[in-house]
Amino acid sequence: MNSSALNNLVGEFSLPKNVPEKFICRSGLEVNSRKLMWRLLVNSGKGHTLDLSWLVSRKIPGPDKDKILEVMQYYAQNRSAGTTVTVNYTIKANLSKGILGLTDVCNLWPSLKSGAKKSLNQFYGTLALLGYEEFESIHEFTRSSLPTHRLDPLCPDKGRLPDLQYSYLFKRLIADLSSFDWSPDKEMSYFSEPGGRNKSGFSTARNLISRMLSFCTVRRPLQISSLKWCDIISFGSTFSDDRILRENEVKSIGFGGLQIRFHYVKSGGGSVNIREYPEPYPFPIAEDFSVYIDLYKRQYASGLRLVLDALGSVTTPEVVLKQMLNMPVFPDISLFNQEIYGEKFIDELFSDKSLFLHVSEQTVSKAVGEGLERVGTNRLRHTALTRAAEQGLDAARLSKMTGVTVPAARCYVDLDYEARRRIDQKYRANEFLSNVFNPPRSLDAPISEDVVLDGANTVGSTIQSSGCNSCAARIARPVSCYGCQNFIPLLEGDHKGLLEKLELKISANQSRISGPDQDRVTEAMQIQAEKIRVVIEACDQALANRRHLDD
């Protein structure tokens, strides 16, 4: 079964001029735009099929239908299959009678959930990107009205991992790598069976190496899933890529190791292919971990050789390695199914920019936690950058280490009080604290009309008063406001007085006969007390800095 045969689609409709009859989607499959069902993935992963039949079944004006189809074709080419299907679902649910104007979008906006708001914002933003200027004002509204989220440094399920959990994950990775059977001589069943059936099969080896690279390089899942073998070379070798300066490549330093060429996944230029812009500095991989990549590559080559033998091709080691150059480092196991190639040569299916048979970014992200909830590559990035900042690395070095911009590197650092204390011990009054830590608001700064009071004392204000109307914890104000993304503490507020009152309540609760409900109430108050202490420490630090400047 070749790639075009995978599009088992039903029904057709006419196409606008801006949409080609056939195109290659991001996964590398060929899609027939006339069909109402588009196959976007070779496997059954999230978003494998895009259902556009609703465009025909509903009374949508012809010009609006053409624009929606053009947006979906753009998404199928440039975004993940999961994102494409999600945006389609939101459009179907909210634009069933046509594309809404600004007034209708403003009226609809308050009733939408956060995910739907993001999808509609992407939809109108894509219309503007495609040259439809009449939608720019709508996109400006949706973009500016998206919900903002501030990381709660005390939340155990977000941001950096606790040191104990991070160490456990790393030790388990090392144990799994060392105990796995990396011998290259395997039967075809080793490569073709899904990981769920064969815990010692190729898909397990693939996930182990992607997990290792997630820890070593702290790159985004899409950057790892889009890697090809031509992106991995030894120290002292060259990529022969005009986009990477020769002096930026890793030189031979007396011992073995590999360097990896990653590509930016957020170039901001509307690039059709995510492999368009490589990072300027290849990432060096230590020799201990490079050994496992080499063992994995040997297994990969062994499986590919079995496929080439079955297809009747010449299979010397040199030929196999050459064929592998533009193949995915982390492939779907369909790579080892000879029927997938049909009558096409491998060179026709795999190119430097093709993403044919690459695993999804979700597969890479899931491999990181390996059964643990709420552990992914994003939390690894938070953890790695925060620990590096605590060791004295400035934002510029963190940016180079992770391949993100300096502002983005700052955003990944989780500065709870203890982290701020550690960083400040490395270099006081540093630019990192001044740019990352968002200080509380002062009395002389403008605040919203919705102030937060503790009796007669103002302790802060809200960013959007409407956000508090539906808050389930409103009855516990102002204690419940601390740690909320909508709350801005006042620099000169009497937070210590509020903390003293709360501690008295906690003490009174603990002195009573305990029960399940009472224990949960006490625990909630203790959590809020810790958040108030963080605010107090931050206010004291800011006021001390101000007095120092005044002197």
Side-chain angles (χ1 to χ4, degrees):
M1 182 172 59
N2 57 32
S3 59
S4 60
L6 288 172
N7 292 284
N8 184 19
L9 313 176
V10 180
E12 293 186 356
F13 55 95
S14 59
L15 295 175
K17 294 181 179 179
N18 295 335
V19 176
E21 183 170 352
K22 293 184 179 180
F23 67 92
I24 303 299
C25 69
R26 179 168 161 178
S27 68
L29 290 180
E30 184 180 74
V31 176
N32 186 339
S33 302
R34 291 189 178 278
K35 301 296 183 180
L36 305 185
M37 303 282 286
W38 294 358
R39 186 67 182 266
L40 303 182
L41 292 177
V42 69
N43 55 28
S44 58
K46 179 183 177 182
H48 61 90
T49 303
L50 178 66
D51 183 359
L52 295 173
S53 59
W54 65 276
L55 284 172
V56 174
S57 61
R58 303 192 181 186
K59 296 180 179 179
I60 301 175
D64 286 359
K65 185 184 302 182
D66 291 346
K67 292 182 180 69
I68 293 173
L69 190 61
E70 188 176 354
V71 169
M72 298 319 301
Q73 185 256 336
Y74 175 87
Y75 263 83
Q77 279 188 307
N78 298 284
R79 300 290 185 265
S80 70
T83 298
T84 303
V85 169
T86 299
V87 171
N88 177 60
Y89 177 83
T90 301
I91 298 172
K92 175 182 176 182
N94 297 286
L95 307 182
S96 59
K97 296 181 180 180
I99 300 176
L100 301 179
L102 180 58
T103 302
D104 291 330
V105 171
C106 292
N107 292 332
L108 174 68
W109 199 255
S111 63
L112 296 176
K113 293 183 178 180
S114 177
K117 290 179 178 178
K118 292 180 180 178
S119 293
L120 275 187
N121 174 65
Q122 293 178 37
F123 172 72
Y124 282 105
T126 304
L127 284 173
L129 179 67
L130 292 173
Y132 296 104
E133 297 179 358
E134 64 269 30
F135 296 106
E136 289 181 356
S137 59
I138 303 178
H139 178 233
E140 178 60 30
F141 165 76
T142 59
R143 184 183 62 79
S144 61
S145 302
L146 285 175
T148 57
H149 299 282
R150 293 182 180 178
L151 185 67
D152 179 358
L154 299 178
C155 177
D157 296 331
K158 298 179 181 179
R160 74 177 290 183
L161 294 164
D163 290 343
L164 186 62
Q165 187 177 15
Y166 182 80
S167 298
Y168 166 75
L169 288 173
F170 193 78
K171 289 178 181 178
R172 197 172 74 170
L173 168 64
I174 300 301
D176 290 346
L177 286 169
S178 59
S179 62
F180 191 80
D181 178 13
W182 295 103
S183 58
D185 298 325
K186 304 290 184 184
E187 301 292 334
M188 180 53 74
S189 59
Y190 172 86
F191 298 96
S192 58
E193 289 185 4
R197 301 177 195 168
N198 187 0
K199 293 296 184 181
S200 59
F202 176 81
S203 59
T204 301
R206 177 198 66 198
N207 293 344
L208 266 176
I209 299 300
S210 72
R211 185 169 135 209
M212 182 188 78
L213 288 187
S214 296
F215 271 88
C216 295
T217 69
V218 289
R219 289 306 190 272
R220 294 186 175 95
L222 182 53
Q223 291 178 288
I224 293 175
S225 68
S226 62
L227 284 174
K228 295 180 179 293
W229 285 111
C230 60
D231 295 320
I232 304 178
I233 62 176
S234 60
F235 288 171
S237 301
T238 179
F239 290 101
S240 299
D241 189 336
D242 294 338
R243 300 164 298 179
I244 298 178
L245 297 177
R246 184 69 179 91
E247 55 265 30
N248 290 345
E249 295 176 334
V250 183
K251 308 298 186 295
S252 179
I253 51 179
F255 57 87
L258 298 173
Q259 53 181 320
I260 300 180
R261 174 180 58 186
F262 286 105
H263 291 78
Y264 288 116
V265 295
K266 294 185 177 181
S267 62
S271 172
V272 172
N273 194 284
I274 62 172
R275 292 182 52 81
E276 193 72 31
Y277 302 106
E279 294 180 3
Y281 298 96
F283 193 99
I285 302 295
E287 184 175 15
D288 290 348
F289 293 114
S290 295
V291 168
Y292 290 110
I293 296 177
D294 183 62
L295 292 172
Y296 169 68
K297 187 176 183 179
R298 291 172 185 268
Q299 280 197 352
Y300 190 118
S302 173
L304 182 59
R305 186 167 186 171
L306 293 175
V307 174
L308 293 175
D309 283 341
L311 292 174
S313 302
V314 179
T315 57
T316 64
E318 293 77 14
V319 170
V320 174
L321 291 176
K322 184 178 179 180
Q323 294 278 22
M324 285 174 56
L325 284 177
N326 286 323
M327 286 187 167
V329 175
F330 304 110
D332 183 271
I333 59 172
S334 302
L335 179 83
F336 302 103
N337 180 358
Q338 66 187 66
E339 294 182 3
I340 203 73
Y341 302 101
E343 298 178 355
K344 294 186 178 181
F345 293 103
I346 289 181
D347 290 342
E348 297 179 38
L349 294 173
F350 301 99
S351 66
D352 177 60
K353 292 183 173 59
S354 165
L355 292 177
F356 184 57
L357 294 184
H358 286 250
V359 295
S360 68
E361 54 201 284
Q362 289 84 4
T363 300
V364 174
S365 188
K366 288 179 181 177
V368 172
E370 192 65 22
L372 297 180
E373 294 183 1
R374 300 186 182 278
V375 175
T377 55
N378 194 55
R379 295 195 71 185
L380 286 184
R381 292 164 74 80
H382 279 282
T383 306
L385 268 73
T386 303
R387 289 162 69 108
E390 291 174 354
Q391 294 302 314
L393 271 67
D394 59 23
R397 293 178 66 189
L398 294 180
S399 170
K400 182 177 177 180
M401 182 179 80
T402 54
V404 300
T405 62
V406 171
R410 294 191 184 109
C411 291
Y412 274 107
V413 176
D414 299 338
L415 290 184
D416 56 14
Y417 172 69
E418 182 63 21
R420 291 200 312 274
R421 184 186 65 78
R422 292 175 184 171
I423 293 174
D424 203 38
Q425 285 178 342
K426 295 291 180 182
Y427 35 90
R428 292 189 177 278
N430 59 80
E431 56 89 24
F432 209 89
L433 285 176
S434 63
N435 283 286
V436 185
F437 179 59
N438 186 18
R441 190 161 290 185
S442 178
L443 278 173
D444 54 7
I447 60 176
S448 69
E449 295 181 359
D450 187 23
V451 297
V452 180
L453 301 175
D454 174 31
N457 298 318
T458 300
V459 294
S461 65
T462 58
I463 300 173
Q464 293 180 339
S465 58
S466 59
C468 300
N469 296 333
S470 59
C471 179
R474 184 180 178 87
I475 193 173
R477 293 180 72 180
V479 171
S480 60
C481 295
Y482 287 81
C484 174
Q485 63 187 23
N486 196 38
F487 174 66
I488 303 178
L490 185 66
L491 190 61
E492 297 89 347
D494 187 14
H495 309 293
K496 293 181 180 179
L498 180 61
L499 178 62
E500 291 174 0
K501 295 177 185 178
L502 182 59
E503 288 175 335
L504 287 174
K505 290 182 180 179
I506 293 174
S507 178
N509 274 16
Q510 290 175 333
S511 65
R512 299 174 184 171
I513 298 176
S514 63
D517 292 337
Q518 195 63 44
D519 289 343
R520 282 194 291 270
V521 171
T522 302
E523 182 182 3
M525 288 193 293
Q526 289 172 332
I527 291 174
Q528 290 307 114
E530 185 61 30
K531 294 180 180 180
I532 295 175
R533 292 187 188 99
V534 171
V535 170
I536 291 172
E537 294 286 357
C539 289
D540 287 347
Q541 179 180 338
L543 288 171
N545 291 341
R546 174 184 293 182
R547 286 192 295 269
H548 176 73
L549 291 175
D550 292 341
D551 294 340

